[in-house]
Amino acid sequence: MWAGGVGSPRRGMAPAPTDDLFARKLRQPARPPLTPHTFEPRPARGPLLRSGSDAGEVRPPTPASPRARAHSHEDASRPAATATRLFTDPLALLGLPAEEPEPTFPPVLEPRWFAHYDVQSLLFDWAPRPRGTGSHTEANSGTLALAEDQITTSDLLLGAPGFVSELGGEGELGLGGPISPPVPPALPNAAVSVLEEPQTRTTAYSLEHADLGAGYYRKYFYGKEHQNFFGLDEALGPVAVSLRREEKEGNGGGTLHSYRVIVRTTQLRTLRGTISEDALPPGPPRGLSPRKLLEHVAPRLSPTCLRLGSASPKVPRTLLTLDEQVLSFQRKVGILYCRAGQGSEEEMYNNQEAGAAFMQFLTLLGDVVRLKGFESYRAQLDTKTDSTGTHSLYTTYQDHEIMFHVSTMLPYTPNNQQQLLRKRHIGNDIVTIVFQEPGSKPFCPTTIRSHFQHIFLVVRAHAPCTPHTSYRVAVSRTQDTPAFGPALPEGGGPFAANADFRAFLLAKALNGEQAAGHARQFHAMATRTRQQYLQDLATNEVTTTSLDSASRFGLPSLGGRRRATPRSPGAELQAAGALMWGVRAAPGTRVAAGAETSGPDDAEVPCLLGISAETLVLVAPRDGRVVFNCACRDVLAWTFSEHQLDLYHGRGEAITLRLDGPPGQAVGEVVARLQLVSRGCETRELALPRDGQGRLGFEVDAEGFITHVERFTFAETTGLRPGARLLRVCGQTLPKLGPEAAAQMLRSAPKVCVTVLPPDESGRPRRSFSELYMLSLKEPSRRGAPEPVQDETVKLVTLPPTKQLLHFCLKDSSSPPGPGGLTEERTEFLHSHNSLSPRSSMSSDEAPVLPNTTPDLLLVTTANPSATGTDRETPPSQEQSGSPSSHEDSSNSAPELRASILPRTLSLRNSISKIMSEAGSETLEDEWQSISEIASTCNTILESLSREGQPIPERGDPKEASKCDSKPEPGSLSEKVSHLESMLRKLQEDLQREKADRAALEEEVRSLRHNNQRLLAESENAATRLLLASKQLGSPTTDLA
């Protein structure tokens, strides 16, 4: 068997040397044929008759293996192909569908430079394989559970056939095996959807398996000028295509044109994306025709079947419904109550009253609402006559409305074991929470008889109704439902009864219902609904205009044909969407080309590599799941050869990508794309010899950064510099080795080979965005710890000139502030692509003046807390003012001061954040100066309030500092707050005035464009009339077009 998979070896790659005599004999060039060849197709022997799904089907001839082709000259008449087919397809002998071999490299959709909008578009296939009937259900689900693992049991949950149990510690499935759950701002693999736009993580638990790209038509087509085409393709069935040409300003001042395309077929995956005109064949300056565009973008789609959609307003509304049927922000979840000693379905449905532990759990989960007159999402409950109960449980979470069907709140029917009035609602819920009291029997999913309930979240209470209440969780799901997060901890808990557990359980329920949409039953239902929508559009909402007679996208020009602008090299790589390559990916263990991998975790996985301007993803096309993702701002460096690329990201983790094609072509394209969308660079491979004393001549810290390089040593000669970063030591990455193992290897290895990331242009070490984010949260000033420096510190955070946003998140005001410091302040970086050293700070008494241009710097003024105890000298006047009487006056006035001024100050801070988020990058310099002054004054007021009545001396008056009273000055603080409020009102008025001016300008631009179009139309009519008049008069015609 070849190392590259079934079939012939890949071109352009030299085979690895081997000691196997048979392999060496096989690699020799074939001898001249001893018998004459014939290229006529050999008549195949009749296969064995069998019953099954593939009986009677004509199968294409199977390509011969490399061994058969190498020895074809010895016996050309030997029917080896038929015999191989019979013995390599054991499923066919049993009447089951044959399993096709996995290709070495997954195929990539044409055209080559189509920029995909989301993950679903990457997985779009013109000829999708039918879903299996059971042979690959668990493989499609994307879990690691084997057959024996599916029957694992615990005291909460019993295993059952057809269900997969999650008892805790499974982790997230990544590239090569399970990985630990990512921490913010990184996203779980199942939560990655949109690739063209930044997808940030703002909460601890992300929503997964959501097709967020379904809003593509609403965002870029609906209400804008575009064209829709519908038809019935012979191979694809009903199809719907939406096209739109758009233009935007380029970096050099020119205009860039691109086409946005949506192709919908009966499969649930939609092709969405953009293709630039630079990547298309040269055409007229007014744009390509729809036929030429679709021939390049969708070559497998028959252009003769398409007709232009009607101008009815029903068409865009139907397309919105068709695309967004997978997006739902209203969910219903069932809750079953299991008392101690119970375990069957009838026992849980017949519990008439809720116990104290159950009521405590319901109170934590949501709010009990009165159904009669309830106006929010009701989940098929009666809100008029109370026929489905008088109360229910309702809550909201991450823009979702959730109505719970609680078994004890639904109508109870005496002397009825089935309790159909309760089962009618809970039995139709996809997700069911089973609450167990202490002492309940383990839950078995087969006791529930329902076709809709696919996911069971088993929650058991421990020490209920006490201050030490906790919960444990187990999950049971059907085999055709993919795994979903958040991942359970080891043992399923325990979780404390707090808001974090509520968020975990609600996110688990929402993700479970979204993941169940990939199950066979719901997938078939969604496919039928989609087919009906497409059939209606292709039959009833089309005109007689064919694709050939449809108008072009651009406006017609009366002038001569303009000269096409020269295309810059590599322009097709500058798209915002995800460009795609077929790769074989593995974790960052370096192996030789063609060599066998050492273990199952290092096995290469055929994947689709997508690189957008924001995200890098690896998608396994076999089961349609994302196995790896990272933000482009987290890419550190890369090392590449002709067919292989090692990519370093995050804290120095690595993945290995192997690409096919001519040597260096695909790798060169990937490297060029990474240079455009990331701040990474190429690494350097260094072999470091030891000196006579066995030393390497440099020092490195625990993170792998070079802190010192000795002069005139081999390390300095090879180019090692302070600020460089070690990524590999002797072929192994530093995160995998750990600091101690890496230090031991550097001390004891006889030959040290390292992969080094050089510092940036200013000599600072390179860090990823995730590392900078975590460092910002770990700074001592953010935690309120004292620092020796007593001056104010102004930290500069450099952001790109795109949208800029700075959130000031304060801790709950009810918690006491730190000793002599501010309340904890956290900064979230949303779009930072620049490296930032944790030591980059400057000390100043005043806020710096911003430049006249559009600012790229946002100032966060943080007053360092003053030292306490022996580090601070107290003047005698202050010692006298600290008498009991003065302390009483201070304690009496400080709460009143905080109660009157603190809410107003916090309101000002929130208003500042809102103004900064609305202002964008076009705000004037004086407005940014006002914002910085307001932020500085707010920090000063909050600092004063946090000192709980300590004296507030004026900055430039040292005499006042020694004479000031211990009692605060509420008048001066009130004046400051009033002054702040007046400044804020003026700033808001200026912002509203600027918005109004901008809206008026946009309206004037639209009016000018409309007049221009009208003049063009009148000019065309005049030219046509002039031509007709000249023909009637018999004068020679002139070309006026």
Side-chain angles (χ1 to χ4, degrees), residues 386-406:
D386 289 341
S387 63
T388 57
T390 59
H391 294 79
S392 187
L393 194 68
Y394 173 84
T395 190
T396 58
Y397 180 72
Q398 293 196 26
D399 299 330
H400 285 72
E401 292 183 279
I402 307 174
M403 176 62 80
F404 296 93
H405 292 154
V406 185

Side-chain angles (χ1 to χ4, degrees), residues 586-589 646-649 652-656 728 733 735:
T589 303
D646 293 340
L647 187 69
Y648 301 92
H649 62 94
E653 298 91 348
I655 58 172
T656 299
R728 286 186 188 268
T733 59

Side-chain angles (χ1 to χ4, degrees), residues 590 637-641 644-648 655-657 667 671 674 681-685 727-728 755-756:
R590 205 173 266 180
W638 50 81
T639 306
F640 63 92
S641 59
Q644 182 172 313
L645 184 140
D646 293 340
L647 187 69
Y648 301 92
I655 58 172
T656 299
L657 306 176
V667 173
V671 171
L674 290 174
C681 65
E682 186 180 356
T683 62
R684 297 184 59 188
E685 304 283 342
L727 297 176
R728 286 186 188 268
T755 302
V756 178

Side-chain angles (χ1 to χ4, degrees), residues 215-232:
Y216 187 65
Y217 181 80
R218 179 184 294 273
K219 185 171 185 178
Y220 294 104
F221 289 82
Y222 189 73
K224 301 177 177 65
E225 183 180 358
H226 67 282
Q227 294 178 344
N228 297 313
F229 297 91
F230 311 118
L232 296 174

Side-chain angles (χ1 to χ4, degrees), residues 53-90:
S53 59
D54 58 347
E57 293 182 358
V58 180
R59 293 184 177 274
T62 305
S65 62
R67 183 179 300 179
R69 288 198 300 270
H71 295 277
S72 60
H73 62 276
E74 297 180 2
D75 190 0
S77 62
R78 184 172 55 189
T82 304
T84 305
R85 176 63 180 168
L86 292 177
F87 285 102
T88 58
D89 189 12

Side-chain angles (χ1 to χ4, degrees), residues 168-353:
E170 290 82 7
E172 182 186 5
L173 185 61
L175 183 63
I179 58 176
S180 58
V183 295
L187 284 171
N189 288 331
V192 179
S193 179
V194 177
L195 303 176
E196 183 176 324
E197 302 165 0
Q199 188 177 352
T200 58
R201 180 178 179 180
T202 57
T203 58
Y205 305 112
S206 302
L207 299 184
E208 304 175 357
H209 297 283
D211 185 11
L212 301 181
Y216 187 65
Y217 181 80
R218 179 184 294 273
K219 185 171 185 178
Y220 294 104
F221 289 82
Y222 189 73
K224 301 177 177 65
E225 183 180 358
H226 67 282
Q227 294 178 344
N228 297 313
F229 297 91
F230 311 118
L232 296 174
D233 190 89
E234 296 181 357
L236 302 174
V239 294
V241 180
S242 299
L243 305 175
R244 177 172 175 260
R245 188 183 190 223
E246 64 179 11
E247 60 181 28
K248 61 180 180 179
E249 295 293 331
N251 296 330
T255 302
L256 302 178
H257 291 91
S258 59
Y259 297 92
R260 292 197 178 270
V261 182
I262 303 179
V263 178
R264 311 171 185 86
T265 62
T266 54
Q267 62 167 314
L268 296 184
R269 290 167 181 165
T270 304
L271 182 66
R272 311 181 186 104
T274 311
I275 187 167
S276 174
E277 281 193 349
D278 293 337
L280 294 171
R286 57 180 182 176
L288 291 176
S289 65
R291 182 185 180 92
K292 293 292 184 183
L293 176 62
L294 286 181
E295 285 179 353
H296 189 76
V297 175
R300 297 196 185 184
L301 181 61
S302 176
T304 58
C305 72
L306 295 178
R307 295 292 183 270
L308 183 65
S310 67
S312 170
K314 176 186 174 183
V315 172
R317 289 198 301 264
T318 305
L319 290 176
L320 276 180
T321 305
L322 174 65
D323 288 348
E324 297 180 359
Q325 64 175 338
V326 295
L327 295 179
S328 177
F329 296 94
Q330 295 176 339
R331 302 292 183 182
K332 54 180 183 176
V333 178
I335 301 181
L336 286 175
Y337 176 40
C338 182
R339 289 183 179 272
Q342 294 181 349
S344 65
E345 179 185 23
E346 288 76 11
E347 291 174 336
M348 288 185 285
Y349 274 115
N350 280 274
N351 287 325
Q352 187 173 359
E353 299 294 337

Side-chain angles (χ1 to χ4, degrees), residues 691-726:
D691 57 9
Q693 300 178 358
R695 299 182 303 172
L696 293 175
F698 66 92
E699 297 178 1
V700 61
D701 61 7
E703 294 180 305
F705 293 102
I706 304 298
T707 57
H708 176 69
V709 179
E710 298 181 5
R711 298 295 305 274
F712 311 111
T713 58
F714 291 112
E716 185 185 28
T717 305
T718 55
L720 198 63
R721 296 292 181 267
R725 181 172 186 170
L726 297 184

